Amino acid sequence: GSGFMLGVGNLFGSPQPAYPPDFRTGFPVAGEAAVRAKYEAVRALGVPARAEPRIGGPTPYFVRLGPDGIAVEVSGPRAGA
């Protein structure tokens, strides 16, 4: 909605970077129900898990492994928060 787009690629055949162990990219969703729905959708696709759905502080989230083992987090505001 903000008009921002991020493209990550390897157009010039650079060596794969070394990321810190807890590096991840993330996607915010509307809330706890949306976190659960996205979790079920990616689980059904067989995407490997890094962290199953849980509450971290005030935020429900889960983490799956994307291409090249880069973690992808989906999170949203907690219901009633």
Side-chain angles (χ1 to χ4, degrees):
S2 68
F4 174 78
M5 183 174 83
L6 173 66
V8 178
N10 190 353
L11 299 175
F12 305 109
S14 300
Q16 183 170 340
Y19 295 106
D22 57 351
F23 175 83
R24 64 195 177 285
T25 185
F27 297 92
V29 295
E32 204 162 349
V35 169
R36 176 61 66 177
K38 290 292 184 191
Y39 167 76
E40 293 299 337
V42 297
R43 185 179 67 83
L45 293 171
V47 178
R50 175 115 182 233
E52 297 297 333
R54 61 183 68 173
I55 304 295
T59 307
Y61 74 96
F62 69 90
V63 181
R64 291 293 190 166
L65 294 177
D68 294 325
I70 295 174
V72 179
E73 178 179 316
V74 175
S75 62
R78 193 171 191 179

